[in-house]
Every structure is written in structure tokens, then in C-alpha cells.
Amino acid sequence: MRTALVCGAITGALCVAWVLFLYVSDNNPYGPKRTLSDFFPPIAAIASQLLLRRYYVPKGPGLGKSVGTGVLTAVVAALLAALGLYTFSRLTGPGLIEQHLAEARHMLEASKAMYLKQANGPQQYEATLRNLATNAVGFAQDEFTKKLLLGVVMSIPGGVFLRK
């Protein structure tokens, strides 16, 4: 439990630090570069499972403890990252969100021809435009969902291979 909480807390703080770094370096903290931090929770889940193995040297932690540690690490990391992004969004105000939405709409307009070439392209284009996060809660939900999904998906095979 302690290993998962520590690894998850460090990873969540690292995700928030990444958003702050993007903001300070005059990059869009809500844009595509933010998604680079989506890979932190899966790496942390595997790292926590590796650290857990050190406590159970002769036999290994077992499947339940190993997978549970990875999942708990991913949950804590996703929760802290989402709370950090929500707090950041509330502190910076709606101006930065509006700037991101204008940039995202411009990028979608530039790729509209690509959407229209595909089957159901207009519907996919409209759905993508409609699903853009427009407030702090939307960004926090997006952050939590992506980080949790990737973290849990990678912690299951990691737990299977690192159980012994």
C-alpha cells in the first residue's frame, strides 16, 4: 500500500509539474504536448510493482498484490494529476482555455479535408469538435480518464509478469 501511494503521489506531482513547465515555457498546457505525461502512470505502475518485488524476495508478491499495487499507483497518480490540472485551470482562468479552444478549432479546420475523406467523416469531425473540453471540469475528467486507463491497462500485464 505504501509503495503504491508513494509512487502514485510522485507520479501525480510529476504530471502537474509537466503542465506547469508547459505553461512557464509559453506552450499550450492544454494542447497535444500535455498528452506526453499520459505515459507517466503506466511507467510508475510498473516501477511500483518492481519495488514491491523487493519486499517478497524468495517467492514474489503474488498476482493480487502485484496487480493491486499497480492499479492503486495508477489511481493515485490519475487522481492527483486531475486535481492538479483542475486547480491549475481554475487559477489561470478561462482566458487560457479560450485560447486553447481557438487553437484546437483551427487545427481541426486544417484537418477537415482528411476527415471528409473517411467513411462517416463529417460525423467524426462534428463529434471531435463537440467533445473538446471547454472548462476546468472537462479537462480534469479527460486527464483522470486517460491516465487511469493507461495505468490500469499496463499494470495488469506488469503484475502478471512481476508476480514472481
Side-chain angles (χ1 to χ4, degrees):
M1 177 82 93
R2 181 178 45 201
T3 302
L5 292 176
V6 169
C7 288
I10 291 171
T11 304
L14 189 62
C15 292
V16 173
W18 177 252
V19 171
L20 292 175
F21 170 74
L22 290 174
Y23 178 69
V24 170
S25 64
D26 289 330
N27 287 301
N28 183 358
Y30 303 117
K33 290 181 183 176
R34 178 178 60 99
T35 60
L36 292 174
S37 69
D38 288 347
F39 298 106
F40 296 165
I43 293 169
I46 300 296
S48 68
Q49 291 168 337
L50 282 169
L51 290 172
L52 182 70
R53 276 182 83 179
R54 293 165 61 184
Y55 296 123
Y56 301 96
V57 174
K59 291 183 176 181
L63 183 62
K65 286 181 184 176
S66 186
V67 171
T69 300
V71 169
L72 185 59
T73 300
V75 168
V76 170
L79 184 63
L80 289 178
L83 285 173
L85 187 63
Y86 176 78
T87 304
F88 173 79
S89 298
R90 297 293 289 185
L91 290 175
T92 56
L96 194 58
I97 294 174
E98 290 300 321
Q99 180 182 355
H100 163 69
L101 288 174
E103 185 179 312
R105 287 186 183 113
H106 178 70
M107 286 173 38
L108 278 174
E109 282 294 324
S111 64
K112 188 173 185 176
M114 184 183 71
Y115 276 100
L116 296 178
K117 290 179 184 177
Q118 299 174 358
N120 295 331
Q123 292 86 0
Q124 290 177 357
Y125 176 79
E126 291 299 323
T128 304
L129 190 60
R130 192 174 45 250
N131 291 333
L132 288 175
T134 58
N135 57 19
V137 174
F139 282 112
Q141 287 174 343
D142 181 53
E143 185 86 350
F144 180 77
T145 303
K146 286 180 180 176
K147 292 199 178 356
L148 183 66
L149 181 65
L150 284 172
V152 169
V153 164
M154 287 305 295
S155 68
I156 293 172
V160 169
F161 289 113
L162 297 172
R163 71 181 185 264
K164 290 184 180 181

